[in-house]
Amino acid sequence: MLYKKEYTDVLKEVDSSINGISEEEAKNRLNKYGYNELKEGEKTPIWKMFLENFKDPLVIILLIAAIVQMFLGEFVESLIIFVVVILNAVLGVTQTRKAESSLDSLKKLSSPNAKVIRNGKKSTIPVKELVVGDIVFLEAGDYIPADGRLIEAQTLKVVEGMLTGEAEAVLKHTDRIEEEVAIGDQRNMVFSGATVVYGRGTLVVTATGMNTEVGKVATLLESAGSKQTPLQQKLDDFGKKLGIIIMILAAVIFGIQVVRGYFAGNNFKSLIFDSFMFAIAVAVAAIPEALSSIVTIVLAVGTKDMAKRQAIIRKLPAVETLGSTSVICTDKTGTLTQNKMTVVDFYMYGVNKDEVIENRVDGDTKEQVEAINLGSTLCNDSEITNTGKEIGDPTEVALLRFATKRGIDYKEIREKYDRLNEIPFDSDRKLMSTVNAINGNAIMFTKGAPDVVFARSSKALNDGEEINITEEIKNKYREKNEEFSNKALRVLAFAIKDVPDENFVPCLEDEVDMTLVGVMAMIDPPREQVYDAVKEAIGAGIKTIMITGDHKTTAAAIAKDIGIMKDGD
């Protein structure tokens, strides 16, 4: 269990160092252990897929009926049955192959690279060429290319939903973990396929390809047996019962015909043959030859509709499973909501909010507004690229979008006011601070949890004027914080502090005696389609359950908004 060891011990275990491995050693390991990629199991041959379509009880009955009709001289009807059955099989094989080719195309869309140290120098290599012992650099926006033990983590936040199912980013560290923990709590490890959303880090690769945690999941999926859908189970059951009923019916008819012919004095040999043929004809007539075709066509139409909604169905019967849904359990963040935090409100003591929105502030008030603008853009590690790609923590991205919406160029601000030093965000103290050069002065900007910032502030800005903070001011901020929280809003508080000079290096003890500037409230808004989707689900008798790690007040507010929760629930 590598998370229980110091990273120096892990480096020794994988025969590597901080400076990575050599190119020659990398080639040797690549030849020995293979490429860093997930291996696919052998695909089912087309002939086998084709024959599997004939295992259905209804299809077997149809084939028997066709053969019997051939003996009865009904060649046209037999031919029609054979054609229909074969077309069904061809359609099933075609759909499966088409889905597989679509999945293969999706896999080929990304061919990421990794930043590593080889021969003591930084270089970029294809992810599939990574080997155990490689030192890999991570930054916001990167996909983690292999499992590894962290040897450096600067406020590194990673989303590991593909393994844990949790959409919230996890703050990583490099410390050894003493107790035995699950994957989701291995904070000093990172896993292949996860995404870096904040900060930066360095890892030593400890597993690649099928040996990664994702690779183990892939192995389980390959070995998992297939299970029939409810429709397949019902059709199988119907086919078996129908077969038995038809056989009993044919036997009864055969017996009645023989008895009637015997008392009528018919020739016994011809009587038996005629009675048998009549019973078989009745049995064939009772078989619903078109049922299999109708089911296949309906499933194919359903599959086509799903494809229009960007959902690839690999096997035809799978689309029917959705029709058997009675309960939908869904994650909140990123599924019901946009996973895109948006600033929707703010509060600054002594400042008229309407004047700020209408851009009518001036004098000292303007300085207070500018202070919160600088705090939200400078004490911030996120970024929005020229192409619109958002990099970093969704909360910080929301602050940048809010600034841009009000005509503030955050990139220009960052170029104008250099960051001199910083204290990265820490989940224990719930704060982040940066020191920036502002017009020849050095100022520390701090943002964080409202209760923490309130407690550490000794002064406050009142309409732009710095005054000693009073209980009245604190209570006003607390009331606003409570009001925002009851609306399911996430609140951040901002404070500033003058520091000696540009060489000042802040430490945790410096985050006191600050001047409170104001608070901003944001929310991860529900997706527009969710309201109708929930309404339709309820109308169809489907119960919808929202799963989230949010505080119950926040969760309840979102659930009521989208219609999952009603008054009294």
Side-chain angles (χ1 to χ4, degrees), residues 36-256:
N36 175 36
E37 56 189 8
L38 299 181
K39 296 176 182 176
E40 293 187 63
E42 290 186 10
K43 290 185 178 180
T44 307
I46 291 179
W47 65 267
K48 192 173 182 182
M49 292 169 60
F50 183 79
L51 291 179
E52 283 180 352
N53 287 276
F54 296 93
K55 290 163 59 177
D56 187 281
L58 271 180
V59 174
I60 293 171
I61 293 173
L62 282 174
L63 290 174
I64 293 172
I67 293 169
V68 170
Q69 284 190 319
M70 284 180 66
F71 282 106
L72 293 174
E74 301 291 343
F75 293 102
V76 176
E77 289 189 14
S78 298
L79 182 62
I80 291 172
I81 292 175
F82 281 128
V83 169
V84 168
V85 170
I86 291 172
L87 281 175
N88 285 342
V90 170
L91 185 58
V93 172
T94 304
Q95 169 61 31
T96 303
R97 280 298 188 215
K98 186 178 178 182
E100 287 178 349
S101 64
S102 299
L103 293 171
D104 290 339
S105 298
L106 290 175
K107 292 175 185 175
K108 293 173 183 176
L109 283 178
S110 59
S111 53
N113 294 322
K115 299 179 285 292
V116 302
I117 294 182
R118 290 273 179 91
N119 293 331
K121 296 179 182 178
K122 289 185 180 181
S123 61
T124 301
I125 64 169
V127 162
K128 72 174 188 176
E129 294 180 8
L130 276 178
V131 295
V132 172
D134 265 323
I135 303 297
V136 180
F137 297 99
L138 300 173
E139 57 186 25
D142 286 349
Y143 283 100
I144 294 170
D147 288 5
R149 171 69 161 87
L150 286 167
I151 58 180
E152 183 186 359
Q154 297 291 331
T155 55
L156 183 69
K157 287 186 179 180
V158 177
V159 174
E160 299 174 333
M162 78 295 173
L163 286 175
T164 64
E166 181 54 59
E168 288 293 321
V170 178
L171 184 66
K172 296 290 184 174
H173 60 73
T174 59
D175 300 332
R176 183 171 70 90
I177 299 173
E178 294 184 3
E179 66 274 14
E180 190 169 331
V181 294
I183 288 176
D185 295 319
Q186 293 176 19
R187 299 297 177 91
N188 56 11
M189 299 285 293
V190 287
F191 304 99
S192 176
T195 309
V196 179
V197 295
Y198 192 84
R200 55 188 180 274
T202 309
L203 66 96
V204 55
V205 176
T206 56
T208 61
M210 297 302 288
N211 293 321
T212 61
E213 293 298 329
V214 169
K216 293 174 185 175
V217 173
T219 302
L220 288 173
L221 289 174
E222 286 293 337
S223 59
S226 59
K227 189 176 180 181
Q228 286 187 318
T229 67
L231 179 62
Q232 286 176 313
Q233 292 173 356
K234 289 175 182 177
L235 286 176
D236 278 359
D237 185 52
F238 175 73
K240 289 171 184 174
K241 288 179 179 177
L242 182 63
I244 292 171
I245 291 171
I246 288 173
M247 288 175 65
I248 294 172
L249 179 63
V252 170
I253 290 173
F254 175 74
I256 292 173

Side-chain angles (χ1 to χ4, degrees), residues 423 429 431 433 444 446 452-459 495-499 504 506-516:
I423 308 177
R429 76 181 207 288
L431 296 173
S433 296
M444 184 172 78
T446 299
V452 178
V453 176
F454 298 163
R456 293 180 179 225
S457 296
S458 58
K459 297 178 182 179
I496 57 174
K497 180 179 180 180
D498 290 329
V499 294
F504 176 76
C507 59
L508 301 184
E509 289 73 21
D510 294 313
E511 292 176 322
V512 294
D513 294 327
M514 298 183 293
T515 301
L516 182 59

Side-chain angles (χ1 to χ4, degrees), residues 6 16 78 89 99 164 166 217 236 277 323 330 354 365 375 385 395 463 482 507 546 556:
E6 295 289 350
S16 184
S78 298
T164 64
E166 181 54 59
V217 173
D236 278 359
M277 285 302 179
T330 174
D354 293 334
T365 304
T385 66
T395 302
D463 196 17
E482 185 70 23
C507 59
M546 184 178 79

Side-chain angles (χ1 to χ4, degrees), residues 13 107 153 189 230 283 286 295 316 318 330 373 381 467 492 538 546:
E13 190 171 317
K107 292 175 185 175
M189 299 285 293
V295 170
L316 280 178
T330 174
N373 288 341
D381 286 332
I467 60 173
L492 279 179
I538 293 173
M546 184 178 79

